[in-house]
Amino acid sequence: MIDMRNRLQEVAREDKIRNWINEGQAKFGEILRQHSDDIEVLGSKVIIELVEYLNASQGALFVVKEDGDHTVLELLSSYA
């Protein structure tokens, strides 16, 4: 009985994780569909949703820019 209870708890935990992943994929897929034409708006929407979805305190997105011999990271958007 204890083994059965432990297995049911494990299955419930796995289902919760799977649902969290699926919800996140749907949410970010929708953001990509709605804002794919403007990288700045897309970056802003993605970082806001990502920080909130992960319950993080802050986040930032950077893009890689190449200028001749130099490669730099440029801040695209941030959220706290």
Side-chain angles (χ1 to χ4, degrees):
M1 291 298 268
I2 292 173
D3 288 340
M4 185 185 304
R5 182 199 64 184
N6 291 342
R7 180 65 187 141
L8 287 172
Q9 287 175 338
E10 180 64 22
V11 167
R13 187 183 73 77
E14 290 171 358
D15 283 344
K16 187 175 178 180
I17 291 170
R18 199 171 9 263
N19 288 338
W20 184 81
I21 291 169
N22 289 336
E23 287 173 15
Q25 287 178 331
K27 180 179 289 209
F28 291 102
E30 183 65 25
I31 291 171
L32 288 170
R33 280 188 296 279
Q34 289 178 350
H35 304 288
S36 63
D37 57 335
D38 186 346
I39 188 73
E40 290 179 11
V41 173
L42 176 63
S44 178
K45 296 286 186 185
V46 165
I47 197 62
I48 289 169
E49 289 295 327
L50 186 59
V51 167
E52 291 178 358
Y53 198 71
L54 296 175
N55 293 321
S57 59
Q58 61 187 354
L61 282 178
F62 294 86
V63 292
V64 176
K65 296 276 182 149
E66 293 187 19
D67 182 23
D69 294 342
H70 298 89
T71 302
V72 296
L73 291 176
E74 183 179 288
L75 180 64
L76 179 63
S77 60
S78 62
Y79 181 75

